[in-house]
C-alpha cells in the first residue's frame, strides 16, 4: 500500500523558485573581482539563472553535460549554480588552487564542455586551454569591455553579453531527482583526483539538514558569509541552504584577508560566517591588532581541518561568537557532524561546555556513522576507543565518477580515511587521518593531538607532526614547526612545552624548524610533501 | 547522467534508529492516564518500538495493514508510532472526540485490524467493537492487572503483556519510501470523513521542514510539549521532528487543563509547546489567576484555528514567550506556513513586529502556494487581494483513501477550502473558510475578522460570525457570542464595540447570545451546526 501524497521530485530549481517567490528582495551582496561591492537579490539571481539556462540551450548543451567554473564566491557564480543544475546540466566547480596540470587532467576527465571563470584566473585559462580537449566555450565572468583583446582563447565570450541576450523566461525541466546536479573532484592521497557526483536529491536533502538548528541553523533572519569557497564542496552547501530559507548572502570574492573580511562582516551585518581555520586566523589576527569587535556576528562554523582549541576560545571568550566545530568531506556533500550542545549540557559551566565544543560534533539525521578496528569490528562509543570512521547516508557517495579508484564502500559504508573516537553522547573527535596516525610500539599516536599542543606555543605559527621510521618503536613522532615572524623558540624549549600536556611516550623525539609547511589546494597541510622534504632526515639517537 | 550518491530510502524507522543511536538518554516524559508521571528515553522507546513490531508479526499482521490507536499523547502511543510504521504497517490515529458512529464508520472504511487504546476510552471501545467488522485485536495501553474482567471486548489484551513478551531485536524492513506509513481522517464539511494517507517519504521530508529554524526550530536543546494531540495529524509532526533532532519530549496525557499544563511545563523545563488556541486560553487563564510566570518556556506554536491577537499579545508582552502563528491542514501533514520574521523585520519596533506576527506566516520550502479568483486566475501577493488558497508539494495529498470524494486537486494543486491574502513578503493571512465567507452586497466579509473583534471584548468568552440570508445584500453577518462566567454585556454594547474597529458595512447586524458554541472533534467551532441551530432566526429589520 502506497501513500497518497504528491509525487514531487526534490530539485535544485525548486530552491531558487522558492527563494524568488518568497524572498525576492533578500539581498545577495558580493565583493567583486572588479573591487567594488555589488548588490543583487534572489529575484534577480533567479531571473539571471533562467537566462543562464537559456544561454546553455543556445550553446547546444545537452542534459547531463558538464559546465565548469573557476571562480570566487560571488553572484555570477551563484547564478551559474542554479542555472546550470536547474536546467539539467552538471555544474563542475574547479579548484583554481590546484596545479594547472591537475586542472587540465580534471577538466578532461570530467569532459567539461563550457568553462566559466573569473578574470583573476585568466592566466590559468591561458595556460591550460590548448590542453583542455573537451571545452567548447570559454565564458569570462565580466562585461564585454573587460574581455582581453588578444587572449588566444578560442570562443571566449563575456558572461554578461551571453546572459543579457537571453529571455528571462525559462521553464525548469521536471528532472529525475536522482539526476546528476554537480560535481567536485577530491585530490585524495594516491592516484588521480576522483570526481564526486552529487544529485538533485542529495543536494536538497543536504540543504534541509544544513539549515537545521543543530547543524548550521540557517534562517531568513540570517546574513550569511561563506568564506569557504564555492569552488570546493559547494561552499559546504550554503548556497542551497540559503536559497531554501531565504537568508541574505554575502560573498567575499577574492579578498580573504582579515581586514577585508572584517569590513564585509560589519558593513553587511553578517550574523553567520563559514570558513577554514587559516582564514579565521587571519581575521582574528586583524581583530587583535586593532582591538576590534563584531557588532553582528553571532556564530561561525569552522571545518576543513580541526579547529585549534585556542581559536575556539578566542571566538567564544573574547568575541562572544559561538563556534560550530564541524567535520565533513567532499564525498559527503560535505556535512557529517557539527558540534552543537544537547539539552543535558545547558546547565554546564563555560569550561565544561568548551570540553564538548573542541570535538567535531554530533552526527545529524541522514548520516550514519561507526568506528571499526582493523578487522572491521565495530568499536564502542566510549570516547576512548579509536578506529577507522565509516559513514553512510543519502548524501554520501556510492562511487567516484567513471569508477575511478574502484569501490570506496565496504558493506555499504564509505571508508572516510579518518580515525576517530565517538563518545557516549555521539560526539565525534577526529584523532587523525588513517595515513597520518603514528604507530609507536604497538600504540597509536594522534598527529593532530601533537600538533595542537605545538601550535598552542606562543612562538609557533604552524606545526605538523609526522611519523619517522624507528628501529625499535616502528615509528616515532617528529614536530615540523614554523615560527611566528620575530618570535623565537628553541628545539628544547618547544619539547619541554609538551611536558605534562600529554603522555611522555607521545612527546615528539625531535623538532625541525622550517620556513613554511606546504599547503594543498584546499589549504590543508600536505604531509606527503613534508615527508618527501624530510626523506634524508635521521631521528636523533636516544 | 545520474548522481553517484547512496540510494537510501527516507524511512520512519531511520528516525527512531537515529534517536536511539545519538540521543538514547534524551528523556520522554509522560503524564499517564494512571495519573502519575512516567519517565522513558529514546533508547527505551526504540527498544519497545521493536517489541511492538515483533508483536505485530506475532499477530500475523501483513505489510500495509492498518493498526488504529485511540489514545492521548504518551510514550506508549509514541512506541506505536515507530513500531507500527517502522515495520511497514500503517498507523491509523482515530480521534476519540468524534461521535462513536463516526469512529465506527472510519475504522471500517480504513479496514483497521488492530485497535490500541488508552483506558480512558474503554467506554468508547465497548460501545463500538461489535460494529467494527475488521478489527481482530484490541490492545489496551495498560498492564495486565488493569484490564477489565468483563469488558465483553473480544481478544482484548494488555499492551504491556503483549510487548514485554517480545524480543527487543528486530530488523526494520527496507521499505519503499513511498509506502504508506500512517493515516488520519478529516471530517470535512460534506459527505463522509476522508482518509489522508501519509508516506514514509512525506513524513521524513515534513520532519526536516518542521525542525528548521524558520518553522518550529526543533533542536537537541529543546524540551518539547506537544499539547496538540497525537490522535490528530500526528501532533503536527513533532514526534518525528523530535526523534530526528533528539529533542526531549513531554506528553500531557489526558490532563489538558491550565493547571496541569503549567505544572508540567515548569517541572520538565519545557522550552517549546504546541497547541490550539482553546488550550492556551485555559493555560493563560490559570496563569493570570495565580500571577504565575514561566521559567523555561521560550516559544509556542499556535495553530488549528486562527490565534486571536489578544492571545498573541499576552504570550509576547506579558510572558515573554515568542508565538509562532501557524497554518496547516490534515491534508498537508500538516504544516503549511509558520510566522517567523525575516532579516528585514529585525529593526522594527515591537508593535510593527506584531503586525507581522498576527498573520499565519510564510510558506516553507516544500509548500508551494497561490491564491486564485473564482475563475482560477492567480491573484497578486499584495496583502489585499483575497481568494481561494491552493497548495502543492511533497507532503500535500494527491488523493483521499479509496478516492473518497473524488479528486481534491485542480491542475495538480490541492484546493484548501481556505480564503486568504498573501502580502508582498509572502505572509499568508487566512481571511476565512471558503464556506464561511459572508457575501454582502457583492463584497466579501471575513467571518474571522468579525470574530476577532468580538472576542476582544472583555466580557466575551467565544464568538462565531455567520452569514444570514438578506433580501437586499444576499447575506449579512450575525455574531453568536458566549459570555464569560459572571460577565455581562448587552447586544447594543457589543455592537457599539465594533465602531471604529472595522468598516461600518462589516459590523454585524445582530448579536445572539448562547450558552455554548458547538465544537467539533478537533476543537474547531462547528458553524454548520450553528446554522442549523439558528434555522428559524430572522435578521432584525433596519
Amino acid at each position: 500500500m502506497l501513500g497518497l501524497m504528491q509525487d514531487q521530485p526534490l530539485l535544485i530549481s525548486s530552491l531558487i523558485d522558492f527563494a524568488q517567490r518568497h524572498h525576492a528582495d533578500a539581498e545577495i551582496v558580493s565583493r567583486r573581482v572588479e573591487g567594488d561591492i555589488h548588490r543583487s537579490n534572489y529575484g534577480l539571481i533567479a531571473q539571471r539563472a533562467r537566462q543562464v539556462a537559456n544561454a546553455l540551450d543556445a550553446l547546444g548543451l545537452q542534459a547531463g553535460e558538464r559546465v565548469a567554473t573557476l571562480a570566487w564566491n560571488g553572484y555570477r557564480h551563484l547564478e551559474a549554480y542554479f542555472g546550470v543544475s536547474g536546467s539539467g546540466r552538471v555544474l563542475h566547480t574547479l579548484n583554481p588552487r590546484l596545479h594547472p596540470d591537475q586542472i587540465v587532467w580534471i577538466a578532461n576527465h570530467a569532459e567539461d564542455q563550457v568553462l566559466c571563470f573569473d578574470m583573476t584566473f585568466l592566466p590559468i585559462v591561458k595556460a591550460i586551454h590548448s590542453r583542455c580537449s573537451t571545452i567548447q566555450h570559454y565564458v569570462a565572468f565580466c562585461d564585454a569591455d573587460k574581455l582581453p583583446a588578444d587572449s588566444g582563447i578560442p570562443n571566449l565570450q563575456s558572461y554578461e553579453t551571453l546572459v543579457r541576450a537571453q529571455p528571462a523566461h525559462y521553464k525548469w525541466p521536471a528532472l529525475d531527482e536522482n539526476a546528476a546536479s554537480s560535481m567536485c573532484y577530491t585530490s585524495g592521497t594516491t592516484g588521480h583526483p576522483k570526481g564526486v557526483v552529487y544529485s538533485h536529491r542529495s543536494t536538497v536533502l543536504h540543504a534541509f539538514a544544513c539549515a537545521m538548528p543543530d547543524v548550521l541553523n540557517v534562517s531568513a533572519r540570517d546574513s550569511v558569509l561563506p568564506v569557504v569557497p564555492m569552488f570546493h564542496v559547494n561552499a559546504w552547501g550554503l548556497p542551497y541552504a540559503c536559497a531554501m530559507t531565504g537568508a541574505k548572502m554575502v560573498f567575499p570574492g577574492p579578498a580573504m584577508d582579515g581586514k577585508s573580511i572584517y569590513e564585509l562582516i560589519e558593513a553587511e551585518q553578517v550574523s553567520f560566517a563559514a570558513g577554514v581555520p587559516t582564514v579565521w586566523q587571519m581575521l582574528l589576527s586583524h581583530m587583535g591588532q586593532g582591538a576590534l569587535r563584531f557588532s553582528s556576528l553571532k556564530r561561525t562554523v569552522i571545518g576543513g581541518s580541526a579547529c585549534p582549541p585556542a581559536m575556539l576560545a578566542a571566538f567564544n571568550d573574547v568575541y562572544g561568537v559561538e563556534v560550530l566545530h564541524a567535520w565533513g568531506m567532499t564525498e559527503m556533500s560535505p556535512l557529517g557532524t557539527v558540534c552543537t550542545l544537547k539539552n543535558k549540557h545547558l546547565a554546564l559551566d563555560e569550561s565544561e561546555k568548551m570540553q564538548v565544543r573542541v570535538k567535531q560534533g554530533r552526527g545529524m539525521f541522514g548520516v550514519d556513522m561507526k568506528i571499526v578496528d582493523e578487522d572491521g569490528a565495530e568499536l564502542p562509543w566510549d570516547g576512548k576507543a579509536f578506529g577507522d570512521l565509516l559513514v553512510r547516508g543519502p548524501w554520501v557517495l556510492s562511487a567516484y565518477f567513471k569508477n575511478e579508484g574502484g569501490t570506496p564502500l565496504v558493506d555499504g559504508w564509505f571508508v572516510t580515511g579518518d580515525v576517530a573516537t565517538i563518545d557516549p553522547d555521539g560526539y565525534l573527535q577526529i584523532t587523525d587521518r588513517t595515513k597520518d596516525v603514528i604507530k609507536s610500539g604497538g600504540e597509536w599516536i594522534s598527529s593532530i593531538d601533537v600538533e595542537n599542543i605545538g601550535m598552542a606555543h606562543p612562538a609557533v605559527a604552524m606545526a605538523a607532526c609526522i611519523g619517522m621510521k624507528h628501529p625499535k618503536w616502528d615509528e616515532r613522532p617528529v614536530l615540523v614547526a614554523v615560527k611566528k615572524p620575530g618570535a623565537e623558540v628553541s628545539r628544547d624549549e618547544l619539547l619541554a612545552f609538551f611536558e605534562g600536556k600529554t603522555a611522555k611516550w607521545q612527546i615528539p623525539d625531535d623538532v625541525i624548524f622550517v620556513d613554511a609547511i606546504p599547503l594543498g589546494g584546499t589549504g590543508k597541510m600536505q604531509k606527503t610533501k613534508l615527508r618527501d622534504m624530510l626523506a634524508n632526515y635521521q631521528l636523533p639517537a636516544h
Side-chain angles (χ1 to χ4, degrees), chain A residues 276-291:
Chain A
V276 297
T278 41
V279 166
W280 294 145
Q281 194 54 60
M282 292 191 289
L283 175 64
L284 290 178
S285 167
H286 174 73
M287 306 273 301
Q289 282 160 27

Side-chain angles (χ1 to χ4, degrees), chain A residues 46-83:
Chain A
Q47 179 194 310
R48 285 172 44 110
R50 288 190 169 82
Q51 290 175 298
V52 168
N54 278 318
L56 296 174
D57 284 4
L59 295 178
L61 249 75
Q62 302 301 306
E65 288 193 315
R66 269 73 73 201
V67 176
T69 60
L70 203 55
W72 301 111
N73 292 7
Y75 67 103
R76 291 172 180 135
H77 207 170
L78 190 67
E79 291 158 9
Y81 261 57
F82 291 107

Side-chain angles (χ1 to χ4, degrees), chain A residues 504-516:
Chain A
K504 272 217 180 301
W505 60 275
Q506 296 184 338
I507 297 178
D509 276 15
D510 200 6
V511 171
I512 305 166
F513 291 106
V514 295
D515 291 337

Side-chain angles (χ1 to χ4, degrees), chain A residues 78-308:
Chain A
L78 190 67
E79 291 158 9
Y81 261 57
F82 291 107
V84 171
S85 302
S87 67
R89 284 84 179 198
V90 178
L91 178 86
H92 175 203
T93 50
L94 286 163
N95 185 343
R97 295 199 182 121
L98 296 176
H99 189 279
D101 291 350
Q102 276 186 299
I103 298 178
V104 169
W105 190 94
I106 290 172
N108 286 335
H109 189 263
E111 302 169 50
D112 296 331
Q113 300 288 309
V114 180
L115 174 59
C116 304
F117 62 95
D118 270 333
M119 290 302 278
T120 316
F121 305 119
L122 181 64
I124 299 179
V125 179
K126 279 184 175 171
I128 66 172
H129 70 84
S130 65
R131 290 179 286 155
C132 292
S133 54
T134 60
I135 299 180
Q136 308 289 317
H137 308 277
Y138 290 87
V139 180
F141 277 146
C142 66
D143 284 302
D145 62 2
K146 299 282 195 316
L147 277 186
D150 53 353
S151 68
I153 300 168
N155 290 327
L156 175 63
Q157 47 195 318
S158 136
Y159 174 83
E160 292 298 336
T161 305
L162 182 70
V163 164
R164 288 183 192 162
Q166 298 297 327
H169 181 265
Y170 183 88
K171 192 170 156 47
W172 300 117
L175 304 167
D176 176 349
E177 68 181 28
N178 291 305
S181 63
S182 38
M183 64 193 301
C184 183
Y185 277 71
T186 177
S187 49
T189 50
T190 54
H192 287 302
K194 296 190 271 288
V196 180
V197 186
Y198 309 106
S199 70
H200 287 263
R201 175 182 165 99
S202 71
T203 302
V204 172
L205 291 176
H206 182 267
F208 266 127
C210 180
M212 285 172 78
D214 277 337
V215 185
L216 303 190
N217 194 19
V218 183
S219 83
R221 287 169 300 293
D222 276 312
S223 172
V224 178
L225 173 73
V227 183
V228 54
M230 292 169 73
F231 60 67
H232 190 66
V233 214
N234 307 316
W236 299 346
L238 284 170
Y240 307 115
C242 288
M244 177 179 263
T245 57
K248 172 178 176 175
M249 297 198 82
V250 182
F251 292 121
M256 245 100 68
D257 61 285
K259 180 168 183 288
S260 300
I261 294 291
Y262 176 75
E263 288 173 358
L264 203 55
I265 288 173
E266 289 303 305
E268 300 304 330
Q269 290 291 288
V270 167
S271 57
F272 175 53
V276 297
T278 41
V279 166
W280 294 145
Q281 194 54 60
M282 292 191 289
L283 175 64
L284 290 178
S285 167
H286 174 73
M287 306 273 301
Q289 282 160 27
L292 302 169
R293 284 292 179 273
F294 295 115
S295 66
S296 61
L297 192 68
K298 293 197 187 75
R299 58 194 201 287
T300 174
V301 57
I302 300 185
S305 50
C307 177

